[in-house]
Amino acid sequence: NGLTLAVPRLKTDIAALQELSDFELPPLHVVRPSRVVQVFYGFADASGMQFGSTMSSNYNYKAKFSKEMVANQGLRYRFGIWSANEQKESSNYKEFRNVVESTELEARAGRLNNCEYFLFTDNSTTEACFYRGSSTSKLLHELVLCLRKLEM
């Protein structure tokens, strides 16, 4: 009959689209920067009751890549133990949440502007959700939305 049935998640998807497009002017998303001012890379992992992440300091972008690069501020890190409620969540949720929280810390510190940011994880679900842009899991989908807003 040509009608498409709305899925239960339609309402939250529309709310997410409204959040992602709630700007007077569209945000500029640089795909191929002509200049990189900062480069950060780190690793995030969550296992069982614990989580942690590391993030490099800003490396001298003017140095030649063949030279050894020395960090000017050292290595930043965070670690902790999940609360009793968080421990009940899936390992995929904990891995992804750790990535999101680590990225939010960098954003609040103002380090995500004019930079290349690499945060590695060994969790394929986290990677797949981010690159696909959604997840059938409500909790994981909310984390994707958090990263997309940070990206903008």
Side-chain angles (χ1 to χ4, degrees), residues 96 99 121-133 148:
F96 201 173
V99 165
T121 179
D122 63 352
N123 186 271
S124 60
T125 299
T126 297
E127 180 184 10
C129 289
F130 179 71
Y131 283 105
R132 204 173 32 240
R148 293 296 180 201

Side-chain angles (χ1 to χ4, degrees), residues 47-118:
S47 178
M49 299 186 325
Q50 300 114 7
F51 63 88
S53 66
T54 59
M55 185 54 56
S56 69
S57 290
N58 180 22
Y59 285 97
N60 180 354
Y61 71 95
K62 292 180 181 176
K64 294 181 181 174
F65 286 113
S66 59
K67 286 179 153 181
E68 180 180 338
M69 297 202 182
V70 179
N72 59 7
Q73 296 174 351
L75 188 69
R76 291 185 301 281
Y77 61 91
R78 67 185 283 269
F79 61 90
I81 297 175
W82 297 111
S83 70
N85 284 339
E86 293 164 330
Q87 287 179 26
K88 295 175 187 173
E89 297 297 339
S90 72
S91 62
N92 287 330
Y93 171 79
K94 290 185 275 191
E95 291 271 1
F96 201 173
R97 181 163 173 193
N98 186 35
V99 165
V100 170
E101 288 180 356
S102 297
T103 304
E104 286 174 333
L105 283 173
E106 294 298 308
R108 279 196 298 274
R111 289 187 284 263
L112 295 186
N113 296 323
N114 297 317
C115 78
E116 287 287 333
Y117 178 75
F118 302 94

